[in-house]
């Protein structure tokens, strides 16, 4: 089984993935945990470009979108497909839905979709549904506050983009929305409730 987990910054994605892994392992799954940008050479290129986006140099967003797409091909070839062939349950922290939600802030949605057309659809898309204010509140607690307040508008737009993506893909794969507003101790129960029918 191939699972992609998505959500805006501050949605509690890493925490939720830890709980999801624990749940799936309790059901006997051999879980292969991975993420994008990857730890591969292509992921390093992405991270270098990411730190340059502040400068807003010409075509930086197009270059970044292509770098994410290239990293994704590498991810599939080097990690995801081999793990699936070994019958492991793959959980990826972010996948091409992130490219659609984030890169289409600056470049056209259809173009981003086009350069990602090789990305095989996961069986399950887990979307962490969190109130933008709640995510901002968490981010301010743990990171530099001014930076986060500047990002609120962006997070709102990314959140809207994710909802568009879900509408577009919900008849092509299984979408599970987890409640990102819950306390950490309540996440496991929400996973159990929503995954038990699926397994
Ligand atoms: P993300 O991967 O989306 O950036 P993390 O899981 O790393 O999010 O969480 C960011 C911060 O918010 C962490 O310090 C974490 O302990 C805290 N956090 C995560 N989920 C919750 C939650 N459901 N309730 C309260 N705090 C949370
Ligand atoms: P990362 O350090 O992994 O952050 P997070 O813990 O929030 O996942 O950095 C990933 C950043 O890159 C994050 O802000 C989302 C963004 N991103 C894209 O813009 N497009 C993509 O295709 C992917 C995979 C990530």
């Amino acid at each position: 089984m191939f699972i992609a987990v998505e959500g805006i910054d501050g949605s509690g994605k890493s925490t939720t993935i830890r709980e999801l892994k624990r749940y799936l392992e309790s059901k006997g799954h051999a879980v292969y945990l991975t993420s994008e940008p990857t730890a591969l050479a292509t992921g390093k290129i992405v991270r270098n470009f990411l730190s340059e986006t502040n400068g807003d140099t010409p075509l930086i967003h197009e270059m970044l979108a292509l770098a994410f797409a290239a990293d994704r091909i590498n991810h599939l070839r080097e990690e995801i497909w081999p793990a699936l062939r070994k019958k492991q349950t793959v959980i990826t922290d972010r996948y091409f839905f992130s490219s659609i939600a984030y890169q289409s802030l600056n470049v056209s949605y259809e173009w981003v979709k086009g350069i990602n057309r090789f990305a095989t659809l996961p069986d399950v898309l887990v979307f962490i549904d969190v109130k933008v204010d709640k995510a901002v509140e968490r981010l301010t607690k743990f990171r530099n506050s001014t930076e986060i307040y500047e990002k609120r508008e962006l997070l709102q737009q990314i959140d809207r983009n994710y909802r568009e993506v879900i509408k577009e893909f919900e008849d092509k794969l299984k979408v599970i929305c987890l409640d990102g507003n819950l306390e950490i101790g309540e996440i496991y129960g929400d996973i159990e409730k929503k995954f038990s029918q699926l397994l």
Side-chain angles (χ1 to χ4, degrees), residues 91-144:
I91 304 177
T92 180
D93 178 342
R94 299 194 179 281
Y95 193 49
F96 85 89
F97 311 100
S98 281
S99 277
I100 299 178
Y102 285 76
Q103 272 61 65
S104 66
L105 290 174
N106 303 98
V107 291
S108 105
Y109 180 95
E110 288 305 323
W111 185 74
V112 177
K113 251 178 42 185
I115 61 171
N116 280 283
R117 63 182 169 274
F118 53 80
T120 38
L121 282 183
D123 302 296
V124 186
L125 164 60
V126 174
F127 176 63
I128 305 176
D129 191 348
V130 69
K131 291 198 186 84
V132 173
D133 283 345
K134 190 93 184 172
V136 172
E137 186 190 303
R138 280 183 201 145
L139 292 171
T140 5
K141 244 196 237 173
F142 300 103
R143 294 173 207 170
N144 178 308

Side-chain angles (χ1 to χ4, degrees), residues 19-20 22-23 178-179 182-196:
E19 296 295 87
L20 178 59
R22 192 158 69 86
Y23 171 74
L178 294 177
D179 186 350
L182 297 176
E183 292 306 314
I184 291 178
E186 298 172 309
I187 296 175
Y188 193 87
D190 194 33
I191 291 172
E192 232 174 359
K193 191 171 77 191
K194 291 169 182 163
F195 270 79
S196 60

Side-chain angles (χ1 to χ4, degrees), residues 34-166:
T34 183
S35 61
E36 293 189 6
T38 67
L40 303 167
T42 44
K44 294 204 182 79
I45 296 174
V46 170
R47 288 187 196 281
N48 284 342
F49 285 166
L50 264 180
S51 60
E52 284 176 34
T53 49
N54 306 333
D56 217 15
T57 55
L59 297 177
I60 185 82
H61 296 292
E62 286 77 1
M63 188 166 76
L64 190 58
L66 289 165
F68 274 119
D71 186 39
R72 190 158 296 126
I73 297 184
N74 208 14
H75 195 200
L76 285 160
R77 286 164 45 101
E78 296 289 329
E79 296 192 61
I80 297 175
W81 289 332
L84 291 173
R85 275 198 296 272
K86 282 190 248 164
K87 304 282 178 231
Q88 287 174 300
T89 294
V90 174
I91 304 177
T92 180
D93 178 342
R94 299 194 179 281
Y95 193 49
F96 85 89
F97 311 100
S98 281
S99 277
I100 299 178
Y102 285 76
Q103 272 61 65
S104 66
L105 290 174
N106 303 98
V107 291
S108 105
Y109 180 95
E110 288 305 323
W111 185 74
V112 177
K113 251 178 42 185
I115 61 171
N116 280 283
R117 63 182 169 274
F118 53 80
T120 38
L121 282 183
D123 302 296
V124 186
L125 164 60
V126 174
F127 176 63
I128 305 176
D129 191 348
V130 69
K131 291 198 186 84
V132 173
D133 283 345
K134 190 93 184 172
V136 172
E137 186 190 303
R138 280 183 201 145
L139 292 171
T140 5
K141 244 196 237 173
F142 300 103
R143 294 173 207 170
N144 178 308
S145 57
T146 30
E147 195 181 306
I148 297 314
Y149 277 114
E150 282 169 10
K151 276 175 66 181
R152 177 191 289 263
E153 292 289 301
L154 285 185
L155 288 183
Q156 260 155 355
Q157 186 57 51
I158 295 162
D159 182 61
R160 280 195 287 271
N161 291 348
Y162 265 132
R163 287 168 204 284
E164 289 281 308
V165 171
I166 289 172

